[in-house]
Amino acid sequence: MPKRDRTDTAISVPDSAIVRAEDLYRVYGAGAAAVVALDHVNLVVHRGEFVAIMGPSGCGKSTLLHILGGLDRPTSGRVVIDGIDLNTLNDDALSILRRERIGFVFQFYNLIPVLSAVENVALPLLLAGRRNGRSRTQESDAATRALEWLRRVGLGDRADSKPDQLSGGQQQRVALARALVAEPRLILADEPTGNLDSRSADEMLRLLRKSADDWGRTVVMVTHDARMAAYADRIVFMKDGSIVDDARLGGESSIEDALRRAEAST
Amino acid sequence: MPIERLGGRADRGAVQYAILALLAPRPRHGYDLRDAFEVALGGNWLLNSGQIYSSLVRLGRDGLVAEVGTERGGGPDKRIWELTDAGREEVAAWFASAVPRDYRLRDELYLKLILAVVTSVARPGPILQAQRRHLLRELHDLTARRNALDPRRQLAQILLLDSALAHTEAEIRWLDVVEARLDDIRSQPLPAPPERRRGQSRRRADAVSQPPRTAPPSLPGKPSRPSLRPRIATPE
């Protein structure tokens, strides 16, 4: 199949699923040294869900998240995000899709040290604007939106601070604002609290919860911490590269079951 | 004496101590006691008036509280209670003593897991996962309730929920520890009594039935201790 270089030409099929992973298989290395990181994983995430992926280290949860986000490609199988099959995209189109439709939060905040908080948050908008040549209006618009997102994560008064002037928890909130600023529908978070004290971790999870409840995002988060996973609506358990259990935590199990049944019958 | 109190308090429950403590500053009637108790627990422990009444009667019989009159209002008369000198000593001793904790050495989950291994009628993995699901749902509900509270006004209730969260989280960690060591458990002698024929001495039976284990014994279908296996169909 020829690979497209633009995502906006894709035909979006109305679908309650924002993420569909089908028969994902990922092997690293070859021969005797080959390690199977994902062993035929299937996963559907519906719009507005907050899903935690849990499991012991080495179970493949981070590999799965990276492949869902187009940061890594599966050896076989496919990922469909928002109706777009990532296998049909070349590397440029994939990076455009990542920038426009997915917000990433990592364990280490990955902020640019020489930029202020608001400049870090505005960066994805400025990078997107570069596509068509950036103008002064675009730049001031980006700064306004970045400031608004900083305010929403409770850092409106720290816009001019550099990362090294902020606590770990504050830096991670800047990173979340940066993930949200381009209004992506999907937030992927890889151990977002792995480097935080428990108070900052709770603050971070409340914001991820809010991203789903109030800001209409779908959140998929990898964690090994039960306290953090308990914020989610649903927990997917992994072991040895496979999904071994999938549990809904809230009281909507009947809805979820109905959705799964409907899906199984199509 | 705090140390002695630890052993002597088993017959008086938390509700009775709470009543004594609530009566320490001033006399109250039963409804007032119930309301004050429930508010202190953030509504997480509700009492009926019968529980309050029977506790007051019991404390009165033990000479720790005494009736000092009735309050007449629109409804039925309310009996007012106060603390006696003995009651004051009791509540001081309660505050001075540590609260004994149940360390769960008679834990039903442990029993279920170890019996799954010993009898081979169930696999421990699914038992652990069912428990993990259950605890994570509890953790989810506790987290949602805690985060609905306002830390500027409801810190007391938040701290109570934090305690429940910490214990639930600790139990989930324990499940992870057990799961990681299941294979090690299987490679060890299981906590099962020695097999004995009638008339055989315990010592001799020990010598016969406790060779060191080498093979994993407990997969369904491969029982190594047939006598411990109930004659029922194994699941799966």
Side-chain angles (χ1 to χ4, degrees):
Chain A
M1 197 185 306
K3 298 208 171 185
R4 292 196 297 264
D5 62 0
R6 290 175 65 92
T7 60
D8 46 7
T9 54
I11 301 157
S12 268
V13 184
D15 188 351
S16 76
I18 187 163
V19 176
R20 266 176 202 283
E22 294 172 4
D23 203 26
L24 286 183
Y25 183 77
R26 180 66 167 101
V27 58
Y28 292 107
V35 176
V36 177
L38 289 182
D39 198 1
H40 303 286
V41 166
N42 289 286
L43 178 69
V44 173
V45 178
H46 297 283
R47 289 175 203 279
E49 272 192 310
F50 182 171
V51 181
I53 302 174
M54 281 191 89
S57 53
C59 70
K61 56 190 193 293
S62 285
T63 302
L64 174 60
L65 197 82
H66 288 179
I67 289 178
L68 294 182
L71 296 169
D72 188 9
R73 291 196 189 259
T75 308
S76 67
R78 65 171 192 156
V79 173
V80 181
I81 299 288
D82 234 351
I84 300 164
D85 182 345
L86 304 192
N87 286 350
T88 66
L89 304 180
N90 64 23
D91 286 350
D92 287 346
L94 196 57
S95 70
I96 291 167
L97 175 131
R98 279 200 303 266
R99 204 162 59 214
E100 292 177 348
R101 303 194 190 221
I102 304 175
F104 291 94
V105 181
F106 300 100
Q107 178 175 352
F108 300 100
Y109 333 115
N110 299 342
L111 300 177
I112 295 176
V114 296
L115 297 182
S116 69
V118 68
E119 288 166 340
N120 265 288
V121 175
L123 205 59
L125 298 174
L126 298 176
L127 288 173
R130 206 176 48 183
R131 236 167 110 194
N132 310 315
R134 180 198 318 171
S135 72
R136 271 192 181 277
T137 17
Q138 274 174 329
E139 273 185 42
S140 79
D141 179 50
T144 310
R145 284 167 68 186
L147 199 57
E148 171 61 16
W149 277 106
L150 273 182
R151 198 187 56 71
R152 289 192 192 180
V153 300
L155 291 172
D157 55 344
R158 304 305 303 269
D160 297 325
S161 304
K162 297 273 166 57
D164 65 2
Q165 296 168 313
L166 299 170
S167 71
Q170 290 170 330
Q171 290 184 61
Q172 191 62 309
R173 280 188 278 154
V174 172
L176 179 63
R178 181 185 56 189
L180 287 160
V181 75
E183 315 269 342
R185 293 174 188 172
L186 178 63
I187 300 292
L188 299 180
D190 189 2
E191 298 278 8
T193 61
N195 211 28
L196 301 181
D197 62 80
S198 69
R199 198 188 171 126
S200 304
D202 269 313
E203 230 165 39
M204 187 65 201
L205 263 296
R206 281 170 194 245
L207 286 168
L208 286 171
R209 186 69 258 178
K210 207 169 178 177
S211 302
D213 293 344
D214 299 349
W215 301 330
R217 311 306 144 114
T218 306
V219 181
V220 180
M221 170 182 73
V222 160
T223 183
H224 66 274
D225 185 337
R227 272 290 294 282
M228 301 302 120
Y231 278 82
D233 305 312
R234 179 182 158 201
I235 301 185
V236 171
F237 296 88
M238 289 189 69
K239 197 177 175 184
D240 301 330
S242 299
I243 291 176
V244 292
D245 194 13
D246 190 338
R248 179 148 282 276
L249 302 186
E252 302 161 56
S253 54
S254 54
I255 297 172
E256 180 65 17
D257 289 346
L259 279 169
R260 295 218 178 108
R261 274 198 303 276
E263 223 164 68
S265 65
T266 51
Chain B
M1 298 298 104
I3 301 295
E4 288 167 12
R5 306 283 327 156
L6 280 172
R9 47 162 285 157
D11 59 335
R12 204 178 299 291
V15 173
Q16 288 187 33
Y17 284 111
I19 289 173
L20 294 177
L22 287 167
L23 289 176
R26 62 178 173 84
R28 294 170 186 263
H29 56 69
Y31 296 99
D32 186 15
L33 282 170
R34 185 182 66 179
D35 291 348
F37 179 89
E38 291 182 355
V39 167
L41 270 296
N44 289 294
W45 187 345
L46 303 180
L47 299 175
N48 58 45
S49 28
Q51 281 169 289
I52 292 282
Y53 179 73
S54 62
S55 297
L56 282 167
V57 167
R58 169 83 193 278
L59 291 167
R61 208 177 54 210
D62 293 348
L64 303 178
V65 301
E67 212 177 319
V68 286
T70 52
E71 183 184 295
R72 291 169 205 283
D77 292 350
K78 295 168 181 167
R79 299 159 76 181
I80 297 173
W81 302 79
E82 71 171 10
L83 216 53
T84 64
D85 288 343
R88 221 160 275 285
E89 276 179 36
E90 183 84 357
V91 79
W94 181 58
F95 278 119
S97 64
V99 177
R101 285 295 189 197
D102 172 7
Y103 289 105
R104 311 195 50 166
L105 294 181
R106 296 184 178 183
D107 182 60
E108 183 179 338
L109 174 63
Y110 170 80
L111 200 60
K112 197 189 269 190
L113 282 167
I114 204 69
L115 289 180
V117 175
V118 168
T119 65
S120 305
V121 294
R123 289 189 300 140
I127 294 172
L128 287 168
Q129 185 56 21
Q131 192 70 20
R132 188 179 280 124
R133 268 174 170 247
H134 170 77
L135 290 171
L136 279 161
R137 287 198 175 113
E138 287 199 349
L139 209 56
H140 177 81
D141 293 344
L142 288 167
T143 302
R145 283 170 61 192
R146 178 187 180 278
N147 289 339
L149 296 171
D150 180 354
R152 283 160 301 185
R153 294 185 300 109
Q154 297 167 301
L155 190 56
Q157 285 97 310
I158 288 177
L159 293 177
L160 176 64
L161 288 166
D162 276 345
S163 165
L165 279 164
H167 283 96
T168 310
E169 188 189 3
E171 185 144 3
I172 293 171
R173 286 212 191 120
W174 181 73
L175 296 180
D176 295 342
V177 170
V178 173
E179 185 153 52
R181 309 210 66 175
L182 270 179
D183 291 340
D184 296 346
I185 296 172
R186 287 200 182 98
S187 69
Q188 294 189 359
L190 295 170
E195 287 169 39
R196 272 190 291 166
R197 288 185 195 283
R198 203 210 283 256
Q200 196 176 15
S201 77
R202 183 180 281 255
R203 174 170 300 192
R204 176 145 173 242
D206 284 353
V208 171
S209 67
Q210 287 196 334
R213 246 174 210 294
T214 47
S218 53
L219 292 173
K222 291 204 299 184
S224 65
R225 285 172 184 251
S227 67
L228 285 169
R229 253 171 99 75
R231 282 191 211 105
I232 56 170
T234 39
E236 289 172 77

